[in-house]
Amino acid sequence: MFEMTPVTFRPGFSQKRPVSMPATPQLHEDRLFPADPATRAIARSLYAGVKSLPIISPHGHTDPSWFSGNEAFDSPADLFLAPDHYLYRMLYSQGISLDALGVPSKAGKPDCDPREAWRLFARHFYLFRGTPSAMWMNHVLGDVFGIGERLNEDTADAIYDAIDAALKTEGFRPRALFDRFNIELLATTESPTDTLDHHHAIASSGWSGRVVTAYRPDPVVDADHEDFRAALEQFGDVTGEDTFTWRGYLAAHRQRRVNFMAAGATSTDHGHPTAATADLDPGEAEVLFDRIVSGKAGAGDAELFRAQMLTEMAAMSLEDGLVMQIHPGSFRNHNAALFASHGRDKGADIPARTDYVHALKPLLDRFGNERGLDIILFTLDETSYTRELAPLAGHYPVLKLGPAWWFHDSPEGMMRFRKQTTETAGFYNTVGFNDDTRAFLSIPARHDMARRVDCAFLAGLVAEHRLTEDEAADLATDLAYTLAKKAYKLDAAN
């Protein structure tokens, strides 16, 4: 084992970091830049112009209670392992139980020593070599905690102690880190049954950080969800509407959207299994809803209802101006045994083939040419980029393409996205980057990765004389900052 030496925070931070590791930097300044020296020099120059821009994080799943309560984070294991399915799904694939990592199950939080969980993680950290998770983790260790030593079995305890000591200081409370990360705005995601109490507490706290919400109606839209009926009942309790009638159900959505906008929301989010949309007449939609809530739904009714609700949500967005995000194509909870023991969101969601051309046509036939509606499309099916998504976004005024997402939130995924969409949709039918994460400390790492990859892509276009350097510099700023702010209507947001 090695000795640890105290270091100070970077300029602007007066507190002492309790400990740090010997300097063996893992974050090369040219990471993700082209190997060709001339192109790499262009990428360096472009990156220098955007690396310090504020972070716009318009869609994610961080916990708003972190910022309302501003309490110190728990142990390193509770902070890094328990909430991050990117990490524990890899470990699970190698036969390591989620209980041993401290991941909560349906029975509650397991009786697990956080230090032992961290040691287990460190012993197997080599499994992440070459993955974006390793890059994010090394960025957090090096840039956030000032740790240069590699995480492994030999360094596990010292790194655990360094992180644990730092988390007990004021400089590592959520609001301090929010400011340190230079986050201009962060959006969380809440369901229609959420009271938004944490967002109200943030707004009344006097803190200047902008943490807003986004409207995610899936729990009361997906009739296949095991808690759908209970969620409908709670939806009615929260709104005072009869959510078991079609008219009351739609009125409840409109009410909650107004409530969410009052809490800063500028967007909705829809995580459906497919991109299917439908445009039933009002009488047919009401009959379908009645079958759903009466327990008489037939085969295909749940999918048809989700499809109809995407069109209903688009109609509401045209009325109230909320940007609509569609995140389809994940077969959720594919591991039945794990779902039975641990529930949802435990790393067992698998991408599936997704059709957009036919699936979106009913919605686009009704709203595709509207200038007052904004729909951002995401995909887990990269085969659709060139064939479907880029041509659709390159034509319909309502459509924009969201960035490479989830399984493709990676250097190769980001580069494939640019290569497959730019020639048809251009840059300005895309919306920059959003990190879509539950892991708060990884947000700056993810944005840094995206900025580096975009600068590498733009540098290649400059080197091939397809862009001038000043055009590339403008684009680098737009991709890192301006496009997300515009797409999510954040300039106009309170």
Side-chain angles (χ1 to χ4, degrees), residues 73 144 171-182 440-441:
F73 286 112
V144 178
F172 281 82
R173 288 182 182 265
R175 292 182 183 181
L177 289 172
F178 185 101
D179 295 337
R180 177 181 171 189
F181 293 162
N182 196 21
F440 175 49
L441 271 64

Side-chain angles (χ1 to χ4, degrees), residues 254-268:
R254 288 190 170 89
Q255 180 189 139
R256 291 265 64 198
R257 290 168 69 104
V258 170
N259 299 152
F260 272 64
M261 292 175 71
T266 65
S267 67
T268 69

Side-chain angles (χ1 to χ4, degrees), residues 62 64 67 178 185-188 199 202 207 209-213 263:
T62 53
F67 308 104
F178 185 101
L185 178 136
L186 184 148
T188 64
H199 285 279
I202 293 168
W207 178 51
R210 289 182 67 192
V211 178
V212 302
T213 186

Side-chain angles (χ1 to χ4, degrees), residues 241-492:
E241 298 285 352
D242 183 355
T243 51
F244 286 82
T245 67
W246 181 233
R247 181 174 297 181
Y249 175 76
L250 293 180
H253 278 292
R254 288 190 170 89
Q255 180 189 139
R256 291 265 64 198
R257 290 168 69 104
V258 170
N259 299 152
F260 272 64
M261 292 175 71
T266 65
S267 67
T268 69
D269 183 40
H270 310 271
H272 290 201
T274 74
T277 63
D279 190 18
L280 304 176
D281 68 43
E284 291 176 316
E286 184 170 5
V287 170
L288 172 63
F289 182 76
D290 288 343
R291 289 202 304 270
I292 293 286
V293 299
S294 67
K296 299 177 181 178
D301 276 351
E303 174 72 344
L304 180 59
F305 183 63
R306 289 190 294 262
Q308 178 64 24
M309 285 309 299
L310 282 181
T311 306
E312 297 290 347
M313 291 289 109
M316 292 184 194
S317 281
L318 187 59
E319 294 171 0
D320 61 27
L322 288 177
V323 177
M324 185 176 181
Q325 301 175 91
I326 304 177
H327 284 84
S330 177
F331 189 128
R332 307 272 176 172
N333 313 300
H334 194 273
N335 186 330
L338 190 65
F339 176 61
S341 63
H342 283 72
R344 294 177 168 265
D345 302 320
K346 294 299 183 291
D349 300 337
I350 307 297
R353 287 190 295 269
T354 307
D355 167 75
Y356 292 87
V357 171
H358 301 94
L360 291 173
K361 194 167 192 313
L363 185 153
L364 293 174
D365 282 347
R366 182 170 171 185
F367 296 119
N369 300 297
E370 295 285 353
R371 303 290 175 168
L373 177 62
D374 298 282
I375 300 174
I376 302 174
L377 298 176
F378 294 77
T379 193
L380 292 176
D381 180 3
E382 291 185 314
T383 65
S384 65
Y385 278 146
T386 303
R387 184 184 64 249
E388 301 184 37
L389 287 173
L392 284 167
H395 172 73
Y396 281 100
V398 301
L399 297 181
K400 295 288 187 292
L401 298 185
W405 164 53
W406 200 341
F407 288 87
H408 310 304
D409 181 6
S410 65
E412 288 79 10
M414 293 172 184
M415 188 63 75
R416 287 192 297 268
F417 172 77
R418 291 291 173 212
K419 287 182 176 180
Q420 293 183 64
T421 64
T422 300
E423 289 185 336
T424 302
F427 290 103
Y428 293 95
N429 281 315
T430 68
V431 301
F433 178 69
N434 57 55
D435 47 78
D436 196 8
T437 183
R438 292 177 174 84
F440 175 49
L441 271 64
S442 77
I443 288 176
R446 291 165 186 260
H447 282 262
D448 184 71
M449 180 183 288
R451 293 175 185 189
R452 287 174 178 275
V453 171
D454 280 338
C455 288
F457 180 71
L458 293 170
L461 298 185
V462 173
E464 295 170 4
H465 305 292
R466 297 163 65 184
L467 284 178
T468 62
E469 288 199 46
D470 63 311
E471 288 177 318
D474 288 344
L475 277 166
T477 297
D478 288 339
L479 296 177
Y481 179 77
T482 314
L483 284 179
K485 197 165 184 176
K486 180 179 179 181
Y488 287 86
K489 302 182 179 179
L490 300 176
D491 279 325

